[in-house]
Amino acid sequence: MLKEILNFFSSPYNITFIVFLLLGILMIAYSQVGKSIERRKNIIAERGSGKKQKVGFLDQILDKSEFARRYEDQFRKRVSVLDIEYDARKYTKLKLYSGLAGILVAIYLKNIYVVIPLILIGTSIPTAIIEMKIKKRVSLFNDQILEAFQMFITEYTTTRSVQRTIVDIGPKLKNPLRKEFERLARKLNSGEPVEECFVEFAERTQNKWTLIFAQLMITYFRNGGDFTEQLLNITKSITNEKILDETNSTELSSMRIINIAMNALVPIAYISNKFINPQDANVFVETGIGKTIMFCVVIACSISLYIGKKITDA
């Protein structure tokens, strides 16, 4: 037993693995648990004195990084479509921890060549999950926007008031678009600037047709005039696009699922082989040819997932 322990610690790969593992645990413990406990201890004193809350070491580094601040601002705008409060700082830390996990996997594989690809894959996993949620939400808006614009035209021909029309059609729509029109109505009725209201509406729905609609309404409030003919043309364009999308969506979705499934089989096959034939599996971590093969496989999977995403998002 003692000999096995000494052999384990004699390997620089194993020592590096343990160091990174402990570093990751300490970072998570310090940033999450410690920060939470400190916040609970000082929350009453901070409210009374008005002093700023102490921030962790990692938060201080991220606060000083202009790139991190800009990225978090873009993230907040991007996830506004979900109508859920997402903490941009926690998301940034999650990406860092995911990248650290990629480093640990590379150390476990004893292959320095796959460090960068695995870091990129690890940091892209949280993004992929968020993007899936956003895409699902945006697809709901795409399904509902045609009906909303048709209702808008019908109501506007009667009321001849944009604000009144937005208020009237809100309850008739389905969620999630209903919430966005009701939010827009509340902001317009509260006296907020028209341009800001419609720009926020377009950002929260992240739909090219709502962006065109917002620009149309902003122009109307600035210059006046009649926009019904333009809005009718927009509804015709939406109808034509929906017909085309329905033709391609099933095929593209099947392609994406097959692509993800085939790439997921790679780590499953490796892990299965490691348990079934451990000596054969060691070839991939102990020989130069095996490490090169592993590097090529990781690169190929990364390229395959990236191209598959671009094709289905096109």
Side-chain angles (χ1 to χ4, degrees), residues 12-220:
Y13 287 107
N14 294 335
I15 294 175
T16 308
F17 176 80
I18 292 174
V19 170
F20 273 100
L21 182 62
L22 292 175
L23 178 62
I25 293 173
L26 288 173
M27 287 175 65
I28 294 172
Y30 181 76
S31 300
Q32 301 296 326
V33 180
K35 184 180 176 181
S36 177
I37 294 174
E38 185 179 0
R39 185 188 298 114
R40 289 183 183 132
K41 286 182 178 179
N42 298 330
I43 189 169
I44 297 176
E46 288 171 354
R47 286 178 178 176
S49 62
K51 295 181 180 179
K52 291 185 177 180
Q53 179 184 334
K54 294 181 180 179
V55 295
F57 175 72
L58 183 57
D59 288 308
Q60 291 177 2
I61 295 176
L62 293 174
D63 287 337
K64 293 177 181 178
S65 171
E66 184 179 351
F67 174 80
R69 293 197 304 270
R70 186 167 59 250
Y71 181 82
E72 289 175 358
D73 289 339
Q74 293 174 351
F75 173 79
R76 292 186 188 95
K77 292 180 180 179
R78 182 68 174 147
V79 298
S80 62
V81 68
L82 297 176
D83 197 30
I84 300 173
E85 290 295 331
Y86 276 90
D87 191 328
R89 178 52 53 84
K90 288 183 179 179
Y91 174 77
T92 303
K93 291 179 181 178
L94 180 60
K95 287 179 71 70
L96 292 176
Y97 297 148
S98 299
L100 178 62
I103 296 175
L104 296 178
V105 172
I107 294 171
Y108 173 75
L109 295 174
K110 301 178 181 179
N111 191 341
I112 193 173
Y113 302 113
V114 300
V115 173
I116 294 178
L118 287 177
I119 289 175
L120 295 176
I121 292 174
T123 53
S124 66
I125 290 175
T127 304
I129 295 173
I130 293 293
E131 287 294 331
M132 286 176 61
K133 294 181 178 181
I134 292 174
K135 190 173 181 181
K136 184 178 179 180
R137 180 87 168 182
V138 170
S139 66
L140 289 175
F141 288 136
N142 292 339
D143 293 338
Q144 297 172 0
I145 199 66
L146 176 60
E147 181 183 4
F149 286 171
Q150 289 172 339
M151 283 187 184
F152 186 93
I153 294 171
T154 303
E155 290 290 334
Y156 181 75
T157 54
T158 303
T159 63
R160 307 305 297 180
S161 169
V162 170
Q163 291 179 252
R164 176 68 182 276
T165 300
I166 292 173
V167 171
D168 289 345
I169 69 171
K172 300 176 183 178
L173 298 172
K174 297 177 182 178
N175 285 323
L177 194 57
R178 173 180 177 174
K179 289 183 178 180
E180 299 306 324
F181 266 94
E182 289 177 343
R183 179 187 178 92
L184 176 61
R186 288 195 300 270
K187 285 185 169 292
L188 289 172
N189 290 333
S190 65
E192 294 190 25
V194 171
E195 185 171 346
E196 291 182 9
C197 294
F198 281 103
V199 168
E200 186 196 49
F201 174 75
E203 288 178 349
R204 287 177 61 86
T205 52
Q206 294 186 18
N207 180 283
K208 67 178 181 180
W209 303 115
T210 54
L211 177 59
I212 295 172
F213 173 75
Q215 293 172 340
L216 194 64
M217 292 298 102
I218 292 171
T219 303
Y220 165 75

